[in-house]
Amino acid sequence: MQLTLSQLDAIDRFLEQHQLDFLDFKLEVKDHLATATEELMKQKEIPFEEAFPLAAKAWDTELLVKKYWLISNERLFPNFVIQRIKNKVAFHYGMVVTVAIIATFLASNYLIENPIQFKYGIGFCGIMYFTLRRIMNQKKIKTSYRFHFDYFYLPVLLVFGYFFVFQLSMSYAHFISFLVIANFPFTIYYFVKHQQFIKKYNLK
């Protein structure tokens, strides 16, 4: 027994009401709910209107909407999303900051004297970042990959680095530079994953 388009739309609206707007997660949960609803309709011989609330009941905890400080203080997320992305966010922050601190120590004490190298590094990352962001903004599709892409707000670091840091302290200049550069692989990774998701589902 397959659900109709209107019934699938009802599941969509239900998930949107629970702030589940990352399309990759939304499709995953929608598939689980649709399958569970179909099985209940078949087993209990009940209509969609009775089966769907029963299927959704199992997701009460996962779809509970709340804030989580590590992810955002500005909006709410379902618990399902928080559990999926909080470890990635912590890993992202931890790796970028750790690499920046270690590289700053080495550069300041042993390796590099000339800040021009960092300016070029930041400049390259900045140009690539804004190029990828422009490409991504051509389609207003929200995914968890896009969230991670935007999470570590690179433009702020770039502006701060260029106009303030290099005038203050070489060690701090190194740190901001390496912070931007260490974040760059994450930027590329999440951009590629976002684009692959769009291509897989032929989204426009």
Side-chain angles (χ1 to χ4, degrees), residues 16-107:
E16 288 167 3
Q17 290 169 359
H18 287 79
Q19 307 294 319
L20 188 55
D21 56 359
F22 293 159
L23 193 54
D24 49 330
F25 291 161
K26 182 180 178 182
L27 290 178
E28 180 181 345
V29 177
K30 180 180 178 180
D31 182 63
H32 285 300
L33 283 174
T35 301
T37 301
E38 288 174 353
E39 290 176 354
L40 286 169
M41 291 170 67
K42 183 177 180 180
Q43 292 172 2
K44 295 180 177 292
E45 297 183 350
I46 55 178
F48 173 83
E49 290 73 20
E50 294 180 23
F52 177 63
L54 295 175
K57 186 70 176 175
W59 285 82
D60 279 353
T61 301
E62 286 81 359
L63 295 177
L64 181 65
V65 177
K66 59 184 180 180
K67 284 186 178 180
Y68 188 72
W69 66 271
L70 183 62
I71 301 173
S72 175
N73 286 321
E74 299 178 357
R75 60 159 291 182
L76 301 171
F77 294 92
N79 192 48
F80 171 81
V81 172
I82 292 173
Q83 296 305 315
R84 284 296 191 91
I85 68 178
K86 69 177 183 179
N87 291 335
K88 288 184 178 180
V89 169
F91 177 76
H92 187 165
Y93 256 132
M95 282 296 295
V96 170
V97 173
T98 300
V99 169
I101 290 173
I102 294 172
T104 298
F105 175 79
L106 294 175

Side-chain angles (χ1 to χ4, degrees), residues 2 10 49 56 83 94-95 105 121 124 144 156-158 163 167 169 176:
Q2 285 194 334
E49 290 73 20
Q83 296 305 315
M95 282 296 295
F105 175 79
F124 173 77
S144 62
V156 174
L157 298 179
L158 291 172
F163 292 101
Q167 306 300 321
S169 122
I176 293 297

